[in-house]
Amino acid sequence: MSSVPHTVEDLLRELAPQVLGTLVRRYASFDEAEDAVQEALLAAALQWPKDGVPENPRGWLVTVAGRRLVDQVRSEAARRRREDSHALATPQSALIGPPADERPEADRDDSLALLFLCCHPALSPSSRIALTLRAVGGLTTAQIAAAFLVPESTMAQRISRAKQTIKAADGTLALPAETDRAERLGEVRHVLYLVFNEGYTASNGDDLTAPELSTEAIRLTRLLHRLVPDDGETAGLLALMLLTDARRPARTGPHGELVPLGEQDRGRWDAALVAEGVALISRTLPRGQVGPYQVQAAIAAVHDEAPDADATDWPQILALYELLERFGPNPMVTLNRAVAVAMVHGPDAGLELLAALAQDKRMAKHHRLLATRAHLLELRGETGRATDAYREAARRTTSAPERRHLTDRARRLQASGGTDA
């Protein structure tokens, strides 16, 4: 047995995708393999803390999960006459299995192929997220359900449907052909980006953040970066996550209230994450073609490197947002560019951009547009209109901390007794 520098739980989450990838490759059944791996992980979670971690923990998990899967197939085959195509087709050596600590030198890490499988085009975005967190992230169904504020039974059904969809689509554990690998890799990155965003600013509920989701997104993106080290956009995505998550300790006050970027105590930012993120994006940008994740990481780096809000290089941020918009229309990018325009050219210029953005039906009543308008009106000295906009934004958001923050802004403006110019 070996001593391990991190907890058993951390080790199991790291090994889960490797073990699942091995079983899916061997037995070509994602659904049954995933169930078997979950049972093996549970057995390890109960046994390893008492008996110690095996010298080859991955081999132990592969052996135990493989035996569980074969037992399951045999049982079902006996009832449904499927033994000829499943258990009988399995070599006897595999049924017996190697010793739990035998090191399978020939086994390769199928984690990247597993990420592609969980982000199969046949799945909806929500199903991709759920399946990735379960199969690659090693989170339990209960943990995923709690993070997204849905009943466990609802999340279990979503994951089950996702596995059935992959089965019906004949999804296999294999890297996509070269012709569509870039597109599929982009889908994987997008899933990880969505997971991180939901963790960094939860869209619903009483808490501003769901740290377990953003932490897991960073861990999985580190894994993806390790698997495709020369992919600039994956490096950019990881840098963006690190530079953004570095601010998390300062985003809430002592009572859980939201603290805007300009008002945060930068001494509470995680300096190690900032340094890692800046170094990563600094190495990545000069290497080749720049993509949107790299540009977003560069924007985050400019914010994080400023010693205080007044020292922020807004002209550079504005130039980066203008570059980001060239990758395709995105109302949220335009919204953020409006803030940068206001900081460089004055609030009137920013409000003019917001007026055009409000013609987009997706944004007209969005709480972020309303909150940004309120902020720019406040900078312009139009206290009454700013107060009304803050209140309207508070009514529109589904996040309790954001609602409290926006309501408090409106209350403070009203209490200041100022009048519109």
Side-chain angles (χ1 to χ4, degrees):
M1 298 295 173
S2 64
S3 59
V4 181
H6 45 208
T7 66
V8 166
E9 182 181 359
D10 290 337
L11 180 60
L12 291 176
R13 290 173 69 183
E14 178 181 332
L15 293 174
Q18 301 176 34
V19 176
L20 179 55
T22 298
L23 260 68
V24 173
R25 175 161 46 84
R26 286 183 181 178
Y27 300 100
S29 175
F30 181 89
D31 195 2
E32 293 169 343
E34 206 270 338
D35 289 341
V37 170
Q38 290 298 320
E39 290 188 30
L41 293 173
L42 177 59
L46 295 174
Q47 186 173 332
W48 291 1
K50 294 184 298 182
D51 300 341
V53 177
E55 288 294 338
N56 178 18
R58 177 184 172 185
W60 190 99
L61 289 168
V62 168
T63 299
V64 172
R67 288 171 176 166
R68 298 287 173 90
L69 188 149
V70 170
D71 287 344
Q72 176 185 339
V73 170
R74 278 178 157 173
S75 176
E76 291 179 358
R79 294 194 308 268
R80 304 176 187 176
R81 296 187 176 277
R82 292 168 55 193
E83 193 149 11
D84 284 344
S85 59
H86 289 81
L88 290 181
T90 304
Q92 187 65 25
S93 59
L95 296 178
I96 298 173
D101 279 354
E102 181 178 322
R103 189 174 299 279
E105 296 292 345
D107 271 357
R108 60 180 182 266
D109 187 348
D110 293 296
S111 298
L112 180 58
L114 187 61
L115 273 167
F116 278 118
L117 184 59
C118 290
C119 297
H120 196 282
L123 297 175
S124 67
S126 61
S127 294
R128 293 177 188 174
I129 291 172
L131 198 58
T132 298
L133 289 174
R134 169 69 184 256
V136 188
L139 272 65
T140 66
T141 304
Q143 288 173 318
I144 302 170
F148 285 94
L149 301 175
V150 299
E152 184 176 352
S153 58
T154 299
M155 186 56 69
Q157 291 173 359
R158 184 177 301 172
I159 292 172
S160 178
R161 285 196 299 268
K163 291 191 285 187
Q164 292 303 314
T165 299
I166 285 179
K167 185 176 181 179
D170 195 26
T172 57
L173 188 77
L175 293 176
E178 194 68 36
T179 52
D180 64 338
R181 187 173 299 180
E183 180 181 350
R184 290 287 302 279
L185 182 58
E187 292 170 354
V188 172
R189 284 194 299 260
H190 184 59
V191 165
L192 298 177
Y193 180 68
L194 293 176
V195 173
F196 177 82
N197 282 346
E198 182 62 27
Y200 190 71
T201 303
S203 56
N204 293 283
D206 294 330
D207 297 323
L208 179 65
T209 64
E212 65 277 9
L213 284 181
S214 52
T215 299
E216 184 59 20
I218 290 173
R219 188 184 74 83
L220 293 177
T221 307
R222 285 189 189 278
L223 169 65
L224 184 61
H225 178 51
R226 189 167 71 243
L227 295 170
V228 287
D230 296 327
D231 183 72
E233 275 294 80
T234 299
L237 176 59
L238 177 57
L240 172 62
M241 289 181 179
L242 296 173
L243 291 162
T244 305
D245 203 55
R247 308 176 201 143
R248 178 150 47 96
R251 291 188 69 228
T252 53
H255 306 294
E257 67 273 19
L258 184 154
V259 181
L261 176 61
E263 300 173 17
Q264 289 174 15
D265 176 2
R266 300 186 178 212
R268 296 182 62 198
W269 288 0
D270 189 322
L273 288 183
V274 171
E276 183 183 359
V278 168
L280 180 56
I281 193 59
S282 298
R283 290 194 307 269
T284 303
L285 282 175
R287 280 200 326 224
Q289 185 175 1
V290 174
Y293 288 123
Q294 295 170 69
V295 176
Q296 290 180 73
I299 292 169
V302 175
H303 279 297
D304 286 13
E305 290 185 301
D308 54 61
D310 292 337
T312 302
D313 188 347
W314 283 108
Q316 184 178 358
I317 289 176
L318 176 56
L320 288 168
Y321 272 121
E322 289 171 346
L323 175 60
L324 187 58
E325 279 194 316
R326 296 178 191 173
F327 291 101
N330 184 315
M332 283 301 174
V333 172
T334 303
L335 182 62
N336 287 320
R337 182 167 71 86
V339 175
V341 166
M343 300 306 292
V344 174
H345 301 297
D348 285 352
L351 286 166
E352 185 177 341
L353 258 181
L354 292 185
L357 188 58
Q359 303 306 309
D360 187 329
K361 292 182 180 180
R362 297 171 295 175
M363 295 297 295
K365 298 298 182 181
H366 196 288
H367 75 279
R368 295 200 187 284
L369 186 144
L370 294 166
T372 303
R373 179 186 292 136
H375 175 59
L376 299 188
L377 288 170
E378 184 179 357
L379 290 178
R380 198 170 185 270
E382 296 192 41
T383 307
R385 291 179 64 195
T387 300
D388 292 341
Y390 276 129
R391 285 177 175 155
E392 179 65 15
R395 284 193 289 269
R396 295 284 177 177
T397 183
T398 56
S399 165
E402 286 186 338
R403 185 182 305 112
R404 290 192 294 268
H405 169 73
L406 294 167
T407 301
D408 183 62
R409 282 287 234 225
R411 187 182 301 114
R412 283 196 291 168
L413 265 185
Q414 189 174 37
S416 69
T419 57
D420 290 350

